[in-house]
Amino acid sequence: MKYSEVAKTYQELENTTKKLEKTNILAKLLKKTGTQDLASVIILCLGRIFPLWDDRVIGVASNLMKKTVSTTAGEAEKTIEKMWVQKGDLGLVAEELAKNKKQQTLTTQTLTVQKVIENLQKITGITGKGAVDKKLSLISELLTSATPIEAKYIVRTALGELRMGVGEAQVRDAIIQAFFPTIVGHQLFCPRCKTIIPRNHKKCPLCQAELPVKKLEQEIKLVLDNVQKQKILMHKKWKHLKNQKNDFIMTDDFNLEKHDLRTINFIIPETREQAKKLQEKINKKVQTAYDKTIDFGEVALTVKEKGWKGLEETSLSVGRPIKVMLAERVADIKEAFKKIGVPAAFETKYDGFRMQLHKKGNEIKLFTRRMDDITEQFPEIAERFSKAVNEKEVILDAEVVGYDPKTNQPLPFQKISRRIKRKYDIQEMIREIPVRTFAFDIFQLNGKTLLKKRFEDRRKLLEKTVKPIKNEFELAEQKILSTEKQVQDFLNQKLGEGQEGLIGKKLDAPYQPGKRVGHMIKLKVEMETLDLIIVGAQWGEGKRSNWLSSFELACRSEQGELLAIGKMGTGLTDEQFKTMTKTLKSLIIGEQGKNVKVKPEIVVEVAYQEIQKSPTYSSGLALRFPRMVRFRETKSVEDADTLKRINKLYKQQKMVFG
Ligand code: ATP
């Protein structure tokens, strides 16, 4: 397929903000795309060059693009810069220059979709010496052959800035529109422009044709009057509406599995309810295939080549992450039971980060919730996973928690996030921030996709599959509970251990990738943050000996007295520690050993897990696990929180969590 077809579609997409119109435009393109280009066209329309599960990104920075545009057009970089400032978009600059370009040489080729995607994909793998020149020449090769419009979109795609307003929902609906029959009664077929319109419209939103349709029979007539040579699966009830222009299959059996939907253009069921159900069934089928593959290109290709049956055969692939199921927040235990039923499974809510673990033979891959490959950053988890799981092929869902090697206490997420990003000195990081893995679900076992199984059955399989390694690779602690008191006790116990709360799970629920459907709820104590004053600090140890690293926090009494409420040593980035030290040093008013007293000037926003009674501090209260959220530069000491408010929060917390 010529790339110009895709570029033309981009232009049409850019000219409308209406979602439905975008779906129609995309569906039109997909219908005329050959099998060979289908996957690439879909990926390009999503503004990507790899499917969503693949975390490789296009490695073109705007400066390199500026250089490439300049070299290709034979214009000075200064000129390009000026144009860039004027137009605000390098794509528009490339378009303008392509318009002015002198007669093309004979070697100019027509760009194909394959050529564009191939060159852009190649760029991703280029590193090391000469990388810049190689990348430049790959894009330049495309730009030399591009028409002005093509140039604009090649530049934007390479920069990762296509922004067509095309999301997963539009692509899914476009695939359905392009490769499945139109269901009359649920979707309306515009008699003038022949696109699909949802039934609640009175006018076609595209061509403004009137749609004077109320009864289903009128709607069917409208379709039949306007189409010919179509294959139509029609309910026997509408026999009297048949005409000579089309090819009818009369039936009262709308079991979709029985028909090759690829050869049918319209389905005319008995009632609107039936129409709605059929449409929902199709939507769900396509969505489920996508949830398993995370690749609309593959889904479209499967539909086109193998139809309904093909979709049924799609499965999870080890090594390719899926989107994880999300938890719904509930206000209290009563609501939790309402959502997930009685009895339900309750698990410790570990405060770390979500990890998906894939194993195929000896090969292990680890992914974040956003599907980034982090196998290299966590070699110890890969090793433990291998030891704990003997099966050939497995995919697990888990939480990874960082622990303080000295105190054995869980570390806040901010700490462990350093490990996710770190690509060097991995061994040092393993020692500095050791982690534990808590597996809580299983998606795939030796080629079998388990997403549709009940949670309690998946858990049983998980228990059979994982041989726990203490403090290294364990199963999430779980209890099956049926009373509010039992849950309250479990929750209190977990909060006491420094965990975030509980996750409740519906025993008979399937796994719904990427959804917040209430099969899983979170019960956590997340208190409102406080603005507190720093009144003292302590010099750190070891690597932190040059920093003030533990900060004494105070609130105000109604009379303006400062009352201590705890010590905070976490939540700060290295940068913030440095800033804090520098600022507090100038405010020191007294020193005793490692401890300093400071003039009360700095106000910080503090998050915490719980407020407790405490005889240690002058406020009579203490914050459990306080952590810094941010500096409150705009707040003065007079604006900090009062003991009265904190006491009120303490009472509220008792009301919710006993
Ligand atoms: P959300 O994930 O709901 O978008 P969030 O990122 O703030 O919001 P939380 O509010 O902390 O997450 O709650 C859900 C998260 O809890 C899960 O995504 C998972 O990472 C984590 N988690 C910890 N323990 C468990 C467990 N036993 N079962 C499932 N998830 C758990």
Side-chain angles (χ1 to χ4, degrees):
M1 181 182 238
K2 286 186 199 157
Y3 182 67
S4 58
E5 294 275 358
V6 176
K8 209 170 91 202
T9 303
Y10 286 154
Q11 233 175 356
E12 289 175 34
L13 288 168
E14 248 186 321
N15 287 338
T16 177
T17 50
K18 295 191 182 110
K19 298 266 181 229
L20 177 71
E21 214 167 315
K22 286 188 195 281
T23 305
N24 282 325
I25 294 165
L26 272 176
K28 205 171 68 187
L29 176 69
L30 298 187
K31 267 189 208 165
K32 62 180 174 201
T33 306
T35 312
Q36 189 202 349
D37 294 314
L38 195 54
S40 305
V41 164
I42 287 181
I43 286 169
L44 284 174
C45 286
L46 280 162
R48 303 178 61 92
I49 51 163
F50 295 105
L52 203 68
W53 57 267
D54 193 325
D55 69 352
R56 281 176 293 174
V57 285
I58 318 176
V60 181
S62 42
N63 266 338
L64 170 60
M65 187 54 87
K66 184 179 74 183
K67 205 168 161 191
T68 311
V69 172
S70 137
T71 312
T72 315
E75 295 281 353
E77 273 191 56
K78 276 232 153 61
T79 315
I80 307 295
E81 235 162 59
K82 235 172 154 179
M83 291 175 76
W84 188 7
V85 172
Q86 265 171 12
K87 294 183 181 289
D89 173 357
L90 270 174
L92 293 176
V93 174
E95 182 182 27
E96 179 80 19
L97 290 169
K99 275 186 201 158
N100 301 338
K101 95 178 141 191
K102 301 191 188 79
Q103 201 62 44
Q104 287 296 317
T105 58
L106 286 174
T107 53
T108 304
Q109 292 169 356
T110 308
L111 283 179
T112 62
V113 166
Q114 287 314 325
K115 179 70 189 166
V116 172
I117 207 155
E118 246 173 58
N119 275 30
L120 293 180
Q121 285 181 343
K122 271 187 208 156
I123 291 172
T124 316
I126 300 174
T127 50
K129 214 174 142 214
V132 169
D133 289 340
K134 282 183 206 154
K135 287 181 184 182
L136 191 148
S137 92
L138 282 163
I139 309 171
S140 188
E141 190 191 355
L142 297 177
L143 291 182
T144 311
S145 308
T147 62
I149 293 168
E150 289 174 337
K152 171 168 79 177
Y153 293 118
I154 288 168
V155 168
R156 286 188 185 165
T157 306
L159 287 169
E161 288 174 358
L162 194 64
R163 294 196 198 104
M164 284 292 138
V166 171
E168 290 172 23
Q170 274 82 46
V171 174
R172 186 197 73 167
D173 292 349
I175 291 173
I176 293 169
Q177 191 174 319
F179 304 118
F180 282 94
T182 302
I183 301 185
V184 181
H186 181 59
Q187 287 167 322
L188 191 56
F189 179 75
C190 172
R192 195 192 294 164
C193 71
K194 301 200 170 23
T195 50
I196 296 172
I197 300 145
R199 205 166 42 79
N200 53 1
H201 282 63
K202 294 203 167 55
K203 270 186 181 175
C204 170
L206 301 190
C207 71
Q208 301 301 315
E210 295 280 341
L211 307 169
V213 183
K214 286 216 169 65
K215 290 203 172 107
L216 180 57
E217 183 161 341
Q218 284 177 311
E219 206 168 310
I220 298 170
K221 272 193 198 145
L222 181 75
V223 172
L224 295 181
D225 284 349
N226 281 283
V227 299
Q228 42 187 316
K229 291 194 184 143
Q230 302 288 300
K231 195 157 177 182
I232 299 176
L233 184 69
M234 181 149 94
H235 194 274
K236 284 176 179 163
K237 175 181 167 186
W238 308 112
K239 197 163 69 205
H240 58 287
L241 298 175
K242 263 175 72 176
N243 60 20
Q244 299 296 318
K245 296 195 284 186
N246 296 297
D247 173 12
F248 289 91
I249 312 168
M250 303 307 293
T251 184
D252 58 2
D253 182 0
F254 283 86
N255 191 347
L256 297 181
E257 289 84 348
K258 287 197 182 156
H259 304 277
D260 185 354
L261 299 182
R262 288 170 300 166
T263 63
I264 296 171
N265 304 98
F266 287 91
I267 294 182
I268 304 181
E270 188 182 2
T271 58
R272 287 202 191 281
E273 287 66 47
Q274 194 178 25
K276 195 167 167 224
K277 274 195 192 134
L278 290 174
Q279 190 64 57
E280 276 166 7
K281 198 168 171 188
I282 291 175
N283 293 358
K284 199 165 166 211
K285 199 83 197 166
V286 174
Q287 184 65 45
T288 307
Y290 175 66
D291 288 341
K292 289 190 268 183
T293 56
I294 308 293
D295 189 344
F296 275 125
E298 188 176 329
V299 172
L301 212 59
T302 308
V303 173
K304 197 169 172 175
E305 290 194 315
K306 300 185 193 153
W308 190 267
K309 239 191 141 70
L311 285 184
E312 257 162 22
E313 285 159 10
T314 50
S315 62
L316 298 185
S317 315
V318 182
R320 183 191 284 197
I322 64 165
K323 290 190 181 176
V324 293
M325 181 161 76
L326 305 171
E328 240 177 74
R329 172 187 285 272
V330 290
D332 52 28
I333 300 171
K334 203 187 254 4
E335 196 191 340
F337 275 127
K338 220 173 174 179
K339 280 247 145 85
I340 56 174
V342 189
F346 286 86
E347 296 179 0
T348 309
K349 182 179 192 307
Y350 301 95
D351 184 16
F353 75 98
R354 190 96 172 239
M355 183 183 271
Q356 213 174 107
L357 300 95
H358 291 231
K359 174 176 193 260
K360 190 172 197 167
N362 292 328
E363 207 183 315
I364 304 272
K365 286 253 176 244
L366 310 174
F367 300 96
T368 63
R369 164 174 165 175
R370 297 178 59 200
M371 297 188 275
D372 293 330
D373 186 338
I374 44 163
T375 316
E376 275 178 31
Q377 288 92 308
F378 293 94
E380 82 273 40
I381 297 186
E383 204 184 309
R384 293 165 188 171
F385 179 31
S386 262
K387 266 195 221 151
V389 173
N390 235 333
E391 307 291 340
K392 267 204 194 100
E393 270 192 31
V394 175
I395 307 178
L396 302 182
D397 199 359
E399 187 81 355
V400 172
V401 186
Y403 276 79
D404 185 327
K406 282 193 204 124
T407 62
N408 210 21
Q409 283 292 310
L411 288 170
F413 170 74
Q414 287 90 328
K415 280 264 165 135
I416 197 176
S417 68
R418 279 177 57 212
R419 282 209 58 182
I420 301 174
K421 289 176 213 137
R422 184 69 84 91
K423 298 244 164 85
Y424 54 93
D425 287 345
I426 303 288
Q427 291 307 322
E428 196 188 317
M429 288 308 274
I430 294 177
R431 276 192 301 277
E432 205 181 308
I433 309 176
V435 294
R436 295 178 191 167
T437 306
F438 298 92
F440 53 74
D441 218 322
I442 180 163
F443 305 152
Q444 214 257 28
L445 181 59
N446 297 328
K448 260 212 178 118
T449 298
L450 308 172
L451 301 180
K452 278 193 185 156
K453 279 198 178 298
R454 298 151 62 93
F455 173 61
E456 56 186 344
D457 295 336
R458 297 201 305 276
R459 171 78 191 197
K460 274 183 205 138
L461 284 171
L462 180 69
E463 285 169 11
K464 260 193 179 160
T465 308
V466 176
K467 273 192 243 79
I469 308 171
K470 196 161 170 23
N471 285 344
E472 292 189 354
F473 201 98
E474 301 185 45
L475 294 178
E477 183 186 4
Q478 187 194 74
K479 289 185 181 188
I480 308 292
L481 304 174
S482 24
T483 68
E484 284 183 38
K485 162 99 180 50
Q486 287 171 335
V487 181
Q488 185 71 64
D489 289 348
F490 191 28
L491 179 63
N492 291 347
Q493 182 199 338
K494 290 298 119 186
L495 292 176
E497 288 169 14
Q499 303 293 356
E500 258 199 315
L502 298 179
I503 293 271
K505 297 179 182 179
K506 197 167 170 352
L507 289 174
D508 60 358
Y511 194 93
Q512 288 272 324
K515 297 268 157 53
R516 211 181 284 281
V517 275
H519 294 342
M520 175 164 133
I521 58 93
K522 49 190 177 192
L523 256 180
K524 62 178 182 180
V525 192
E526 205 177 327
M527 303 297 299
E528 284 176 44
T529 56
L530 296 174
D531 290 330
L532 299 169
I533 309 143
I534 296 183
V535 292
Q538 196 174 47
W539 289 103
E541 286 179 6
K543 265 177 74 179
R544 287 194 181 166
S545 56
N546 288 329
W547 292 349
L548 287 166
S549 66
S550 169
F551 309 98
E552 203 175 319
L553 302 167
C555 60
R556 289 185 312 125
S557 72
E558 288 302 294
Q559 293 73 33
E561 217 184 330
L562 299 186
L563 305 167
I565 190 164
K567 280 189 181 148
M568 173 185 77
T570 50
L572 288 86
T573 59
D574 287 0
E575 238 4 84
Q576 283 174 326
F577 270 121
K578 274 185 208 155
T579 315
M580 190 74 108
T581 305
K582 204 168 150 211
T583 323
L584 291 184
K585 251 170 121 177
S586 63
L587 299 174
I588 293 177
I589 45 175
E591 252 172 289
Q592 199 176 35
K594 278 182 168 270
N595 297 315
V596 299
K597 283 248 154 301
V598 297
K599 209 165 143 198
E601 273 191 10
I602 308 290
V603 179
V604 287
E605 185 179 351
V606 178
Y608 52 93
Q609 212 158 66
E610 202 186 344
I611 304 170
Q612 298 174 318
K613 286 269 175 218
S614 158
T616 319
Y617 298 109
S618 51
S619 64
L621 297 173
L623 299 180
R624 191 172 173 76
F625 298 123
R627 62 174 196 278
M628 167 129 150
V629 179
R630 58 183 164 145
F631 283 104
R632 281 297 216 168
E633 283 100 348
T634 55
K635 289 211 168 182
S636 62
V637 171
E638 289 72 39
D639 301 320
D641 275 306
T642 59
L643 182 59
K644 193 169 162 200
R645 171 165 187 251
I646 304 173
N647 262 320
K648 203 167 138 202
L649 288 172
Y650 173 72
K651 280 186 199 129
Q652 277 174 4
Q653 158 197 302
K654 292 242 8 133
M655 253 168 19
V656 180
F657 292 105

